[in-house]
Amino acid sequence: MAESKSLRVAYGETLVELGAENDKIVVLDADLAHATMTNGFAGQYPERFFNFGIAEANMMCAAAGFAHSGLIPFCSTFALFGAGRAYEQIRNSISYVNANVKLALSHSGLCVGEDGGSHQSIEDIALMRVLPGMTIFVPCDPIETQKAVRAAVEINGPVYIRVARPVCDCVTEEDTPFIPGKANIMRDGSDVAILATGLMIPEALKAADLLADEGIKAAVVNFHTIKPLDADCVLKMAEQCGAVVTAEEHSIIGGVGSAVAEVLAGNSNAKFARVGVNDKFGKSGKPADLFKAYGLTAENIAANCKKLIK
C-alpha cells in the first residue's frame, strides 16, 4: 500500500519532479506556498517560482502571459480564491483564448474544516465546468493526484485540478489507468451504480460494502475527470444497473451530479439521486463532522441507493 499523504503534498512533490524533467514549467502562487505546497518547487527552482502576493487576478493574467511565451504555468492558491476571486481573469485571459495554464487549486470543499464556510469552495467545479475548453480533474488519492498533474502537462489548454487538504489513504494503485475523460470502474455491480469523485471515492467503496452485506450489488465508478465527462460510461452503468447515485464533496448544483444528470436526461430511464452539499454553504468544524452533517458518508450513500431500488 502506498504512503498516505495529503493531496496537496502529492501535488507539491510532483511539481518538484516535473521541474527537473521540463524546464518550461513555472509555478505561480498567491502568498500561500506553505499551504499549497509549492514551496518545495520554490526551494529547488527559485528562478521559476513567482509569488504574486494576495493578488490572484494579477497572478492569472501573468500566467496567461507565461503561457503565450511558450511556458507551462501552474497557478496555485486556495480553490475559493482562485476559482472565485479570479474568475473573470480565468474566463477572459485563460479560457477564452485557450491559454495553456494549469490551475491546481487546493483546500477545496468542506474538508478545509475549521476555516469555515467563507473558505470552503463548494461551487468551484461548477464555475470551472461552464468554461469552454476547460479540463477538470478531481483526484481521489495521492497516487491519482500525481497522475493528474502529469496528465495536465500533456494537455494543450487550460486544466483545473481540484486538490484536497486532508491526509488520504491510497485507494488506487500505481498501475491504475488515468486517462483524461475515461472513468475507472473500481467495483462492478448490477443493482445500483455509485458514480463518485474525489474524496467521496472511499465513502462510495464503503457504501458498496454496506450494501453487499444486504445482498445488494453496487458498482463504484471513479470519475476522476469531470470535464470531459465519460458519458459512455454513465449510460453503460445506467443501463446495467437501472439506478444511479452520484457522490461528491461539492454542491449538487453544477458538479458531477449535474453533469451526470445532463447525460441521463433524454437518454436513460434509470432512477437517479445525488449525494453532495444540498444548496447550502459550509460551516466551521472538523472535516469528519462536516461530512457527517452534510450527508457525505457511506451510510447516506447506501441509504440513497436503497431508496432508489426499493
Side-chain angles (χ1 to χ4, degrees):
M1 178 67 70
E3 177 189 358
S4 300
K5 65 180 71 173
S6 169
L7 303 198
R8 59 182 174 144
V9 170
Y11 165 61
E13 291 174 348
T14 309
L15 276 186
V16 172
E17 293 172 4
L18 286 169
E21 298 168 15
N22 189 335
D23 61 7
K24 291 186 176 182
I25 290 175
V26 294
V27 175
L28 291 63
D29 210 300
D31 214 30
L32 285 168
H34 63 289
T36 63
M37 304 309 292
T38 61
N39 54 352
F41 188 96
Q44 291 282 342
Y45 314 104
E47 74 285 356
R48 287 191 273 151
F49 177 82
F50 303 89
N51 179 15
F52 283 81
I54 306 173
E56 293 83 0
N58 187 32
M59 177 175 70
M60 297 302 177
C61 291
F66 278 121
H68 292 314
S69 300
L71 298 171
I72 306 172
F74 276 81
C75 285
S76 292
T77 181
F78 287 6
L80 187 82
F81 306 150
R85 186 179 293 167
Y87 186 76
E88 180 194 346
Q89 287 70 32
I90 294 173
R91 181 195 187 275
N92 286 336
S93 295
I94 296 174
S95 184
Y96 186 62
V97 295
N98 198 45
N100 192 28
V101 176
K102 317 306 171 186
L103 310 170
L105 306 183
S106 73
H107 292 61
S108 55
L110 293 179
C111 67
V112 179
E114 290 86 348
D115 287 358
S118 63
H119 283 53
Q120 293 163 354
S121 63
I122 45 86
E123 61 284 295
D124 51 302
I125 295 173
L127 290 169
M128 294 297 104
R129 195 166 74 86
V130 76
L131 292 174
M134 181 69 72
T135 297
I136 302 175
F137 295 143
V138 185
C140 70
D141 68 8
I143 292 174
E144 205 165 65
T145 301
Q146 295 165 359
K147 294 174 182 176
V149 175
R150 288 185 170 276
V153 175
E154 301 303 318
I155 294 171
N156 184 25
V159 179
Y160 175 44
I161 308 171
R162 193 182 207 233
V163 182
R165 178 188 190 184
V167 173
C168 299
D169 293 333
C170 289
V171 293
T172 66
E173 305 288 344
E174 293 290 351
D175 60 355
T176 302
F178 188 94
I179 303 171
K182 185 71 173 175
N184 289 339
I185 298 174
M186 302 186 75
R187 188 172 302 181
D188 214 349
S190 55
D191 296 323
V192 61
I194 305 170
L195 312 186
T197 191
L199 298 190
M200 295 306 288
I201 293 295
E203 296 300 322
L205 292 168
K206 293 174 190 173
D209 289 338
L210 294 174
L211 293 167
D213 291 341
E214 300 185 39
I216 299 169
K217 298 175 182 176
V220 176
V221 186
N222 176 6
F223 279 82
H224 52 68
T225 307
I226 308 300
K227 188 180 183 182
L229 192 76
D230 190 347
D232 290 342
C233 183
V234 172
L235 294 174
K236 173 189 172 185
M237 300 312 295
E239 181 179 358
Q240 177 176 310
C241 299
V244 172
V245 174
T246 57
E248 60 193 312
E249 185 211 359
H250 183 274
S251 172
I252 60 171
I253 301 169
V256 72
S258 290
V260 168
E262 290 161 15
V263 172
L264 294 175
N267 296 310
S268 172
N269 293 319
K271 296 177 181 179
F272 178 62
R274 294 173 292 174
V275 172
V277 180
N278 195 2
D279 200 21
K280 298 177 181 178
F281 285 108
K283 55 186 176 182
S284 181
K286 295 187 182 301
D289 294 337
L290 291 171
F291 275 42
K292 186 174 181 180
Y294 284 80
L296 307 184
T297 62
E299 291 77 12
N300 190 42
I301 296 170
N304 274 269
C305 290
K306 289 191 287 185
K307 186 176 179 181
L308 279 192
I309 62 179
K310 272 187 177 178

